[in-house]
Amino acid sequence: MKSKNKMWSGRFESAMAKSMIDLSFSLDIDKELLEEDIQGSLAHGKGLVEAGVISKKEYAKIAAGLQSILAAANKGKNLWNKGDEDIHMAVERVLTEKIGSLGKKIHTGRSRNDQVATDFKLYMRHKAIDVLGRILELQKIVYELAKKHKGRLMPGYTHLQQAQPIQFSHYWMSLFFALERDKKRLSNFLALHNECPLGSGAMAGSAFSYNRKTVAKELGFGGISANSIDAVSHRDMALEFLSDLSIIGSALSRYAEDMVIWSTSEFGFLTLHDKFSSGSSMMPQKKNPDSMELIRGKAGRLIGNFTAMFTLVKGAPLTYSRDLQEDKLPVFDSVKTILACLQVFGEALESAAWNFENMEKKMLPALLATDLADLLVESGTPFRDAHHIVGNLVGIAAKRGVNFTELPELPQLRKKLTFAYSVSRRDIEGGTGKKSLDAQLKKAEKLLLM
Ligand code: ARG
């Protein structure tokens, strides 16, 4: 049976096998690109008018048809059918049904290879801006939290062992500045991947010479790709995007892990709001920090998508190979995942109850060991020796079953050695002291205004 209904079926004797259709049709996934596909076609059509390939009148009809497709789809109308291979073919089919064979002219001088590359780049650019917005929202929440609880102390950890006293706000400002780098990474990404592939055709460049720069500008790109092979082959933009999103996700995952630990009865620093917890189907007493566990789990998924993309591209011969169709799902999935994680983390943080009394209660006097060594240094002892002396004292105290600050060996230093004193000594820029924290908050205010 000769297949007539496929747009590329001219040279084929038989239709595609059902199993092959199932393997290859991507509409269910790439319909996510509808808006960008329409934008791309509108801009491409304008280029065709300028080049004299289609008339202004023809363009007006095509453009109206494309707009109506987008409007109908946005209203929830299902325009697609089982025979549509992907969103690009589907749009062209619906357009042709609407305005007649004129609809087929929109694909002049274009291949799905440069069309897909363009749609996909546009999509990632749009979504990077959404992610940037969500990061900013989280930064504001973190900033407010830090500002509100200035002066509250808690144990700071290394190796998950109590290390030094810190301000609770100092801990949270660490996330603020990490997020600031995530924003920079995405801004760099937007600056780098700013070239429009349209005009590259299947791989050698379109034979209809049209003004690529105008088309690129129309789509909001800063310029045009310099080489058609490069433009349709590479997916480094997707790799970079997935990497950036994985980095955000894995940072959130570490904070989420801390929140899981903080919310245990052993720590008791934090109670997540019921809205961000869940119960056990068997144990009635349980309130589990599922929001944080999920954020931790989603980081695995983000890294998985990043890995999938690398695995996909590393062996695909230039230029376009159909493998590359598999590039969409990891990106769509990671975008949705990171947006959800950023949102939930922010809301969970805003609604959480912080148990500052418990934080203070749990602070061990040994947190002050470094400060005692520092005091000895101030009275002339070299730091290495001071470290040794204090280590000995801590050991003796442990043997006697008392806190080292209670040892009779250091009566005159005892009064000085408080958690507040320890924090106050760390006003160096970036430290946990009051002045430093105020400076961090100021810096944050400036960044939030930009
Ligand atoms: N659905 C395909 C994709 O997203 C479209 C490109 C098909 N190109 C081709 N030469 N078969 O990659």
Side-chain angles (χ1 to χ4, degrees), residues 27-28 50 69-71 93 103 134 158 160-161 164 211 236 270 329 336-337 386 400 404 429 438:
L27 177 72
D28 276 346
E50 268 201 312
I69 292 173
L70 183 59
R93 175 188 60 76
R134 212 42 82 76
T158 65
L160 202 52
Q161 306 282 333
Q164 290 180 306
N211 193 336
D236 54 310
L270 154 78
L329 191 56
K336 274 181 208 138
T337 303
R400 290 190 203 158
F404 89 101
E429 281 166 89
D438 285 344

Side-chain angles (χ1 to χ4, degrees), residues 26 30 86 88 112-113 116 320 322 324-325 327-328:
S26 58
D30 56 32
D86 58 24
H88 322 289
R112 266 184 302 159
N113 296 352
V116 167
Y320 178 88
R322 192 66 181 275
L324 295 186
Q325 177 170 292
D327 61 357
K328 317 289 181 315

Side-chain angles (χ1 to χ4, degrees), residues 360-406:
E360 273 186 38
K361 244 194 269 158
K362 296 270 175 172
M363 289 170 85
L364 302 170
L367 284 166
L368 299 169
T370 310
D371 296 289
L372 176 58
D374 288 350
L375 282 173
L376 294 177
V377 167
E378 274 178 7
S379 48
T381 317
F383 180 76
R384 266 301 136 235
D385 297 340
H387 184 281
H388 195 79
I389 293 166
V390 176
N392 261 334
L393 289 174
V394 172
I396 291 168
K399 263 194 210 140
R400 290 190 203 158
V402 295
N403 287 315
F404 89 101
T405 42
E406 290 160 21

Side-chain angles (χ1 to χ4, degrees), residues 139 172 272 297 382 389:
Q139 275 186 311
W172 282 111
L272 286 172
I389 293 166

